[in-house]
Amino acid sequence: MELINEFSRIFFPGCVTELLPEIDFDSGMKNRMNSFTGQIQYYVPSLFAHLKRMKRKRRNLKELFCVGVTMTDIYPSPDWNFVYGEASIDDNIGIYSFSRFDPIFPQLSQNPCTEAEKQLVIRRAVTTYIHEVLHLFGFEHCIYYTCLMNGTNHEEEMDRQMLNLCPVCLKKMYLSFGKGNFRIRKMYEDLAALTERVGLDEEATWYENRLKILFMTE
């Protein structure tokens, strides 16, 4: 979660990302047993209701959004198999699950992840988190380019996403955060350094090349 926070601070300049205490599922949260995986799933609207109650209790007027993260599989409606994450813009809350980011899901293993599996989980977690929070800022799915804001319904679509925004969505960020906060060069430099540090080599190369193209004449 600390790593996700680091990415969050870069993508959302001027905002503070705070880790809240862990909470347990309670008996009032609707769930079901998924017939395909044999694992329990929790109902997104039920989780949203809990997050809203917790948000009201905090009474923090500076709190823009609340995003829940769970290791349990989730589903948005009875006729859906699952969902990676979902955001409620009207309520300023979101939820997403790590469960299907594990490449061996739905199997369970006592063996530690390989380095390749670890990098895959990190990449999926970060891209899904940023995607969901951008929904809370009012961004819709991108239909113009291959972009972090493309919609995803399965692993192949999710793994095609790069951890970067297209020119259209970058312009939306500029308009959302303002010239004083949104500085593309600093954002790209910070993302190049962070992705390199955590072993996301493809993303690190993309940001390093983009910096060379954009600022090579300076």
Side-chain angles (χ1 to χ4, degrees):
M1 291 306 302
E2 278 297 340
L3 178 58
I4 291 174
N5 273 0
E6 288 188 63
F7 278 98
S8 183
R9 294 179 189 114
I10 297 173
F11 268 96
F12 307 114
C15 299
V16 176
T17 305
E18 180 184 356
L19 276 178
L20 298 174
E22 295 181 14
I23 57 174
D24 294 323
F25 293 115
D26 62 41
S27 58
M29 295 180 181
K30 185 177 178 180
N31 60 76
R32 71 180 183 186
M33 188 65 68
N34 185 286
S35 59
F36 295 100
T37 66
Q39 293 194 16
I40 194 169
Q41 289 180 300
Y42 278 83
Y43 188 44
V44 167
S46 182
L47 298 177
F48 278 171
H50 185 81
L51 290 174
K52 283 191 286 186
R53 289 194 297 270
M54 298 298 291
K55 196 170 186 290
R56 286 194 295 268
K57 287 181 180 180
R58 287 192 296 275
R59 296 181 181 178
N60 185 348
L61 298 180
K62 294 183 179 181
E63 184 177 309
L64 291 175
F65 313 123
C66 175
V67 180
V69 180
T70 177
M71 293 297 294
T72 304
D73 204 19
I74 58 177
Y75 69 105
S77 63
D79 55 337
W80 277 57
N81 181 24
F82 75 95
V83 71
Y84 293 117
E86 192 163 297
S88 174
I89 297 175
D90 292 339
D91 297 312
N92 297 326
I93 55 176
I95 183 76
Y96 78 101
S97 168
F98 275 172
S99 64
R100 291 178 184 259
F101 297 159
D102 190 331
I104 68 169
F105 178 89
Q107 302 175 48
L108 299 176
S109 174
Q110 301 299 319
N111 298 321
C113 289
T114 65
E115 192 60 30
E117 290 171 340
K118 180 181 177 181
Q119 297 309 314
L120 181 60
V121 171
I122 289 173
R123 186 178 182 279
R124 289 173 172 177
V126 172
T127 53
T128 302
Y129 170 83
I130 301 298
H131 180 103
E132 294 302 327
V133 174
L134 283 170
H135 275 317
L136 292 172
F137 275 104
F139 285 47
E140 296 184 355
H141 284 150
C142 181
I143 59 173
Y144 302 101
Y145 300 92
T146 300
C147 175
L148 179 58
M149 286 309 294
N150 294 149
T152 60
N153 291 307
H154 51 75
E155 281 187 5
E156 289 183 4
E157 288 183 343
M158 179 170 57
D159 291 337
R160 279 203 301 266
Q161 287 182 325
M162 288 287 287
L163 185 57
N164 61 268
L165 296 167
C166 74
V168 175
C169 291
L170 279 175
K171 182 62 177 289
K172 292 178 183 179
M173 286 199 72
Y174 176 83
L175 295 173
S176 297
F177 292 97
K179 184 178 180 180
N181 286 320
F182 185 69
R183 293 177 289 167
I184 189 66
R185 183 169 187 169
K186 177 172 175 49
M187 177 184 181
Y188 279 15
E189 287 174 345
D190 290 346
L191 285 170
L194 182 54
T195 51
E196 181 179 12
R197 194 187 91 208
V198 300
L200 298 178
D201 297 334
E202 187 176 356
E203 286 76 9
T205 299
W206 190 94
Y207 279 109
E208 289 165 1
N209 288 338
R210 187 62 58 174
L211 282 165
K212 291 176 184 177
I213 292 171
L214 291 176
F215 303 106
M216 63 187 304
T217 59
E218 295 186 9

